[in-house]
Amino acid sequence: MKWLLMILTSIGLSGCNSTHTTTADMKQKVDVTSLFNHSLFTPKPVQTEAEIFALPESEQQAAISFFGKYADANMRDDQVLGRFLDAKLDNFSYDGETLTATEATLKRAGNCISLAVLTQAYANVLGIKTSYAKVDSYPMFRKHHEFIITSSHFKTKLFANRATEGDENEQQTLIKGTVVDYFPDQDSVFSGNAQYEDLVAKFYTNLAVSALLEADYDLSYSLLSAALKYAPRDAEAINTAALLHKHVGDINSAKQIYDYAFNNHLTSTNLLLNYLNYVPKD
């Protein structure tokens, strides 16, 4: 399946870069991992942050070389990266896997999180700032075996970071940018802004869900522990953690994790549906 890729150059994106609570601050307020029954699991190694976004040297040089062709052009860096991605991802195919940046380039495939990771990896090489928007797609949820799963993806926002001819000042370019949407679909709705930490957490959570479906509970636990270090308020990771405990037979911990989410106003469609349909009530 050929990827649908839409790249829009826009202005007025500063609202997507609003002040947000740091991971350290959130960790002090919300630590759902304290409710995990750690004795039930054996930690397994997972990808490091560096490994997630690492690119082969050849890919780094390809991006740098492409930029060199536009060194004297009247284009912002974010626009050049957008053009590079348009060419790079033209023959990518969707296979549902959540992949690291290196894996995505080698397989020329991956899901939307994989390509958001790949975009971030190129942005890292080129020093371009990013932000994200979460978009939910219809149908809003579906059932996979015993699980209720929602469908969503991330739009990547590349921010301008270089003044160009015609700009009044460099500060003005900071509110300009390029939006990269891998699934430009009218049947979707914006559901919230996201940052780099959210992308890292989503990478781990996606893999945790896959591990849970494959009954690799130790790996799912390890991936969720990693995800919640980056986004301790992420309702999807918390929901998956509750389901994980349910599947290993610890109903009490599952309920405590759900209660913790509700008490801290950390809910989502996925979390609510799984709680109502999957966890037995007293």
Side-chain angles (χ1 to χ4, degrees):
M1 174 182 174
K2 188 175 181 179
W3 278 96
L4 296 173
L5 176 63
M6 178 172 64
I7 300 178
L8 301 174
T9 299
S10 59
I11 61 173
L13 295 178
S14 57
C16 298
N17 197 27
S18 57
T19 302
H20 61 286
T21 307
T22 65
T23 300
D25 291 338
M26 291 189 296
K27 188 67 176 176
Q28 293 177 356
K29 297 177 182 179
V30 180
D31 186 7
V32 71
T33 60
S34 65
L35 299 176
F36 285 13
N37 188 342
H38 301 284
S39 64
L40 296 175
F41 308 100
T42 300
K44 285 188 172 183
V46 300
Q47 297 94 330
T48 65
E49 179 183 347
E51 289 171 338
I52 293 171
F53 297 100
L55 279 171
E57 182 65 27
S58 60
E59 287 298 323
Q60 296 182 46
Q61 291 303 317
I64 293 171
S65 176
F66 188 91
F67 260 64
K69 297 177 182 179
Y70 292 88
D72 299 324
N74 188 27
M75 292 181 65
R76 301 192 311 266
D77 288 355
D78 60 293
Q79 293 172 321
V80 178
L81 179 53
R83 182 170 294 189
F84 175 79
L85 290 168
D86 198 17
K88 174 65 65 173
L89 303 181
D90 184 57
N91 294 319
F92 268 61
S93 61
Y94 174 76
D95 61 8
E97 284 190 277
T98 300
L99 305 172
T100 66
T102 292
E103 290 170 337
T105 59
L106 293 176
K107 293 186 176 183
R108 300 193 62 78
N111 60 17
C112 66
I113 296 302
S114 304
L115 294 190
V117 165
L118 183 58
T119 300
Q120 180 67 54
Y122 286 122
N124 290 345
V125 171
L126 301 167
I128 296 176
K129 296 180 180 179
T130 60
S131 183
Y132 298 89
K134 182 182 177 185
V135 179
D136 291 329
S137 303
Y138 295 105
M140 294 301 291
F141 66 91
R142 61 185 175 87
K143 194 161 187 177
H144 180 85
H145 299 304
E146 299 177 354
F147 297 90
I148 303 295
I149 301 174
T150 57
S151 177
S152 64
H153 70 278
F154 275 12
K155 292 182 180 181
T156 303
K157 302 180 181 182
L158 307 170
F159 287 94
N161 61 355
R162 183 182 66 184
T164 57
E165 184 179 350
D167 288 321
E168 294 181 3
N169 54 63
E170 186 171 357
Q171 184 176 4
Q172 181 182 347
T173 68
L174 295 176
I175 66 171
K176 296 180 180 180
T178 299
V179 178
V180 182
D181 187 359
Y182 307 108
F183 291 107
D185 191 344
Q186 293 182 348
D187 294 329
S188 61
V189 58
F190 170 81
S191 62
N193 294 320
Q195 303 297 330
Y196 170 83
E197 293 83 3
D198 300 304
L199 175 61
V200 179
K202 188 62 65 180
F203 175 89
Y204 285 127
T205 302
N206 274 13
L207 292 180
V209 170
S210 297
L212 176 56
L213 293 174
E214 294 171 3
D216 191 340
Y217 301 133
D218 290 336
L219 179 58
S220 185
Y221 160 81
S222 302
L223 289 161
L224 288 169
S225 298
L228 289 163
K229 290 179 180 178
Y230 287 89
R233 297 177 63 87
D234 188 277
E236 301 304 336
I238 293 172
N239 170 62
T240 306
L243 292 176
L244 172 63
H245 283 79
K246 166 65 172 62
H247 267 263
V248 296
D250 190 348
I251 303 296
N252 184 59
S253 290
K255 288 185 175 181
Q256 287 184 7
I257 292 170
Y258 275 125
D259 288 342
Y260 195 81
F262 296 140
N263 292 337
N264 287 277
H265 309 291
L266 307 177
T267 59
S268 68
T269 302
N270 218 13
L271 186 149
L272 291 170
L273 286 171
N274 277 297
Y275 177 75
L276 293 173
N277 289 277
Y278 192 51
V279 177
K281 309 301 183 295
D282 295 329

